[in-house]
């Protein structure tokens, strides 16, 4: 517990802030927070800013030019057979066709987000759509959100289906056929939106008290200054960019890959079907639980900068869909046993991921007055102080999945991620990039979340970690 400044001022937003950040001025009314960045964090930020776009290009380019072999271009570069310039020159460039496709796509998603209020919650039992409250921000605001992601996903996919079956306005392979030119377009939007959010934070922030300034321009740009930048009352950058152009597209991109397999080989492999089905479950789960998502770390703690803006526009659609891309170039047909094992791993992973998240949600929303695995949940009572000095109470559950390990939701997510990769067989490491990345992401997330919780709850957090000693894998980590 931090009695001098409040846990969320010190640990509410940035990336591993507790390790790398020292607050140098207190937030007072209408005066933004100021932070100082250490050299390690700054180097990491600059390294990511400089390398991430090339990493995305690399993983897409190796499929286009090397049948998805990651090592071949490196060997050829080393032996002098090719140069960076020759690789670059062979890659498709920006096209106006791709720009048109992408402009129509993003505009359509904006229209669905802004102009079509949710009606699905009126006839889908158990679905929480329509206007919902977000979590309280550090400055004490509770934002309202129009939750209509599921509806947008359904409309988009119904139109996609209608086009493929009846209208034939465009080929279902359109995304694959323009993939590298689209990479240029997504980069343009990713950088534009991050730069706009950066400038907006200085000139016309949505809520000045929820801004976080570090004194370092690179860190500000990357990790974001504004907490919940908005245009008008309803256009929320975080909800729109995280959910819409990227995650709605995720399943369409996979469908486009499947269509390409059909066009090239005359059939769709069982591996492609598995990847499509398992990832569609994950995407639909995201939209079904979009209101819950308002309470996760992305929306509750992260500020909106390049990390989210560019990441949502470029990193997510290109790198989360690598398995399908790989399978277009390498049409792996799995044995029945292999396919069944992948399906089982994916479904068990999904079950652990969803049930763990659901248990916490149920526990928190009923304040522990519920049944977990047929019993009353056990928990640790915690106290913490908010920035205004107020004393609050909370509970940390120690039963159900939360009694097995402290982050089994991440473990389930990782099992699902491994299933997507394993669906591609063992011919290349290319599709396994995803599990490596997700492991780094979620282990890092786990560490930074625990750092924040430890600062928030102090010795109560210690009591919790004594009761539940492992993070992701009981007995191991
Ligand atoms: P969690 O949903 O695990 O939330 C962590 C918070 O839960 C803690 O900060 C604490 O908040 C509270 N908490 C911790 N332990 C307990 C407990 N025992 N009982 C009750 N509350 C507890 O984290 P995320 O928001 O990171 O993840 C949500 C999901 O999203 C995960 O399943 C994750 O796998 C997934 N995800 C997927 C990503 C992807 O790219 N595919 C990226 C990021 C996340 P408090 O301060 O309220 O106590």
């Amino acid at each position: 517990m931090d009695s001098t400044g409040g846990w969320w001022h010190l640990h509410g937003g940035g990336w591993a802030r507790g390790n790398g950040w020292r607050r140098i001025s207190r937030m007072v009314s209408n005066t933004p927070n100021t932070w100082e960045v250490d050299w390690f964090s700054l180097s990491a930020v600059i390294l990511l800013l400089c390398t991430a776009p090339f990493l995305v290009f690399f993983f897409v380019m190796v499929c286009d030019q090397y049948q998805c072999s990651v090592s071949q271009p490196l060997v050829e570069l080393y032996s002098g057979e090719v140069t960076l310039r020759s690789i670059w020159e062979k890659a498709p460039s920006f096209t106006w066709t791709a720009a048109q496709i992408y402009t129509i796509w993003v505009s359509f998603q904006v229209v669905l987000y802004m102009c079509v209020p949710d009606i699905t919650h009126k006839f889908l039992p158990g679905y929480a759509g329509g206007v919902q409250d977000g979590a309280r921000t550090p400055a004490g605001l509770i934002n309202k959100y129009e939750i209509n992601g599921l509806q947008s996903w359904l409309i988009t996919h119904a139109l996609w289906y209608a086009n493929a079956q009846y209208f034939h306005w465009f080929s279902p392979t359109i995304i694959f056929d323009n993939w590298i030119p689209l990479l240029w377009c997504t980069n343009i939007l990713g950088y534009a939106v991050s730069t706009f959010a950066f400038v907006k934070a200085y000139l016309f922030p949505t809520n000045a008290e929820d801004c976080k300034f570090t004194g370092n321009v690179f860190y500000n740009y990357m990790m974001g200054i504004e907490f919940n930048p908005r245009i008008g009352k309803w256009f929320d950058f975080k909800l729109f960019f995280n959910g819409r152009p990227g995650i709605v597209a995720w399943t369409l991109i996979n469908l486009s890959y499947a269509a390409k397999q059909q066009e090239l080989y005359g059939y769709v492999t069982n591996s492609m079907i598995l990847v499509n089905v398992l990832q569609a479950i994950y995407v639909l789960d995201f939209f079904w639980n979009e209101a819950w998502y308002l309470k996760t770390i992305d929306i509750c703690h992260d500020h909106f900068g390049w990390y989210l803006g560019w990441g949502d526009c470029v990193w997510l659609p290109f790198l989360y869909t690598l398995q399908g891309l790989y399978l277009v170039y390498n049409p792996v047909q799995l044995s029945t046993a292999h396919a069944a094992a992948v399906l089982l791993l994916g479904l068990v992973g999904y079950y652990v991921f969803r049930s763990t998240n659901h248990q916490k949600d149920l526990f928190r929303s009923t304040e522990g007055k519920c049944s977990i695995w047929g019993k009353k949940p056990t928990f640790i009572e915690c106290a913490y102080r908010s920035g205004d000095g107020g004393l609050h109470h909370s509970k940390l559950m120690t039963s159900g999945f939360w009694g097995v390990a402290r982050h089994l939701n991440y473990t389930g997510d990782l099992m699902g991620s491994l299933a997507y990769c394993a669906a591609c067989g063992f011919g290349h490491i290319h599709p396994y990039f995803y599990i490596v990345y997700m492991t780094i992401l979620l282990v890092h997330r786990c560490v930074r979340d625990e750092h924040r919780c430890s600062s928030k709850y102090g010795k109560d957090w210690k009591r919790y970690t004594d009761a539940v000693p492992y993070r992701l894998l009981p007995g191991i980590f």
Side-chain angles (χ1 to χ4, degrees):
M1 206 185 318
D2 176 6
S3 55
T4 59
W7 63 270
W8 38 248
H9 291 317
L10 271 170
H11 302 281
W15 189 22
R17 183 181 293 170
N19 299 327
W21 293 86
R22 181 162 60 85
R23 197 174 60 158
I24 57 173
S25 80
R26 280 208 59 184
M27 187 164 90
V28 289
S29 179
N30 294 323
T31 307
N33 235 359
T34 311
W35 304 74
E36 199 175 77
V37 63
D38 68 275
W39 280 104
F40 177 76
S41 302
L42 181 59
S43 314
V45 161
I46 294 177
L47 188 74
L48 261 175
L49 275 171
C50 296
T51 55
F54 293 103
L55 197 68
V56 178
F57 175 76
F58 177 78
F59 275 98
V60 178
M61 177 281 294
V62 292
C63 282
D64 191 44
Q65 297 184 25
Y66 292 93
Q67 200 94 12
C68 303
S69 165
V70 171
S71 55
Q72 191 62 24
L74 303 177
V75 170
E76 289 189 9
L77 273 172
Y78 184 73
S79 65
E81 272 177 68
V82 294
T83 59
L84 285 176
R85 196 192 169 97
S86 68
I87 289 178
W88 185 257
E89 279 171 358
K90 250 170 96 183
S93 185
F94 171 89
T95 63
W96 286 107
T97 307
Q100 266 174 0
I101 295 169
Y102 196 57
T103 307
I104 292 170
W105 168 250
V106 177
S107 311
F108 182 56
Q109 291 307 314
V110 172
V111 168
L112 290 179
Y113 176 61
M114 292 295 289
C115 310
V116 192
D118 187 71
I119 54 159
T120 48
H121 69 280
K122 295 192 176 146
F123 57 85
L124 286 176
Y127 170 63
V131 177
Q132 300 282 337
D133 285 343
R136 189 178 294 279
T137 71
L141 278 181
I142 295 189
N143 285 309
K144 295 219 173 285
Y145 294 84
E146 171 69 40
I147 297 296
N148 59 3
L150 183 64
Q151 177 174 276
S152 303
W153 189 91
L154 289 170
I155 294 174
T156 308
H157 284 70
L159 284 175
W160 178 272
Y161 178 79
N163 172 67
Q165 287 296 319
Y166 309 109
F167 300 132
H168 309 295
W169 292 322
F170 54 85
S171 161
T173 62
I174 188 170
I175 304 177
F176 176 87
D177 295 338
N178 292 278
W179 203 216
I180 296 187
L182 280 169
L183 178 58
W184 286 96
C185 304
T186 55
N187 266 290
I188 292 169
L189 182 67
Y191 277 97
V193 77
S194 316
T195 308
F196 178 77
F198 177 75
V199 174
K200 175 180 175 315
Y202 285 97
L203 298 184
F204 51 103
T206 303
N207 179 22
E209 293 205 347
D210 272 329
C211 287
K212 179 201 71 182
F213 291 91
T214 67
N216 183 281
V217 72
F218 291 109
Y219 194 93
N220 288 348
Y221 184 73
M222 172 145 177
M223 297 311 294
I225 300 170
E226 278 203 81
F227 194 56
N228 289 123
R230 284 188 172 207
I231 292 181
K233 201 171 161 208
W234 291 105
F235 189 86
D236 184 87
F237 279 55
K238 264 194 209 168
L239 191 66
F240 178 76
F241 282 102
N242 198 301
R244 306 312 164 76
I247 302 190
V248 176
W250 188 344
T251 34
L252 291 186
I253 295 165
N254 280 344
L255 286 172
S256 182
Y257 292 153
K260 195 68 194 180
Q261 258 200 351
Q262 178 70 40
E263 183 188 292
L264 288 175
Y265 311 109
Y267 59 88
V268 177
T269 60
N270 59 359
S271 51
M272 180 67 93
I273 294 171
L274 270 174
V275 167
N276 266 265
V277 169
L278 291 175
Q279 294 191 345
I281 292 174
Y282 193 74
V283 168
L284 269 171
D285 175 276
F286 173 86
F287 285 119
W288 182 268
N289 295 291
E290 199 178 15
W292 157 82
Y293 174 74
L294 299 176
K295 309 281 162 69
T296 64
I297 292 175
D298 281 355
I299 299 269
C300 287
H301 303 303
D302 288 340
H303 291 241
F304 188 87
W306 182 87
Y307 173 69
L308 287 179
W310 181 86
D312 294 337
C313 291
V314 183
W315 186 272
L316 190 150
F318 281 87
L319 294 190
Y320 283 31
T321 58
L322 280 184
Q323 289 81 26
L325 181 67
Y326 173 85
L327 291 171
V328 172
Y329 292 92
N330 303 273
V332 174
Q333 185 67 25
L334 300 172
S335 68
T336 310
H338 188 149
V342 167
L343 184 63
L344 189 69
L345 179 66
L347 292 179
V348 171
Y350 172 71
Y351 172 76
V352 173
F353 158 82
R354 176 44 44 215
S355 310
T356 310
N357 286 323
H358 176 69
Q359 283 183 357
K360 188 186 82 176
D361 214 25
L362 181 67
F363 172 79
R364 280 280 170 92
S365 60
T366 60
E367 301 202 345
K369 294 183 192 71
C370 58
S371 169
I372 302 285
W373 289 352
K375 287 192 219 135
K376 258 190 98 186
T378 56
F379 53 84
I380 285 173
E381 286 277 5
C382 305
Y384 65 94
R385 279 187 196 279
S386 53
D388 56 8
L391 184 65
H392 304 272
H393 295 276
S394 185
K395 294 180 174 70
L396 292 169
M397 181 164 43
T398 51
S399 56
F401 283 115
W402 295 86
V404 180
R406 301 200 291 271
H407 272 290
L408 269 193
N409 49 350
Y410 291 179
T411 313
D413 211 342
L414 290 175
M415 288 165 71
S417 308
L418 183 60
Y420 312 154
C421 304
C424 299
F426 305 110
H428 281 291
I429 57 167
H430 179 272
Y432 288 83
F433 169 79
Y434 187 66
I435 182 65
V436 174
Y437 161 71
M438 283 298 281
T439 306
I440 296 170
L441 175 85
L442 292 178
V443 168
H444 176 261
R445 201 174 174 93
C446 175
V447 171
R448 76 168 162 144
D449 182 53
E450 297 220 336
H451 187 93
R452 192 186 66 81
C453 288
S454 167
S455 303
K456 178 178 177 182
Y457 296 123
K459 54 185 185 325
D460 290 333
W461 181 254
K462 172 83 178 67
R463 286 200 293 136
Y464 172 56
T465 55
D466 288 344
V468 187
Y470 292 102
R471 293 180 175 104
L472 296 178
L473 285 176
I476 299 173
F477 176 66

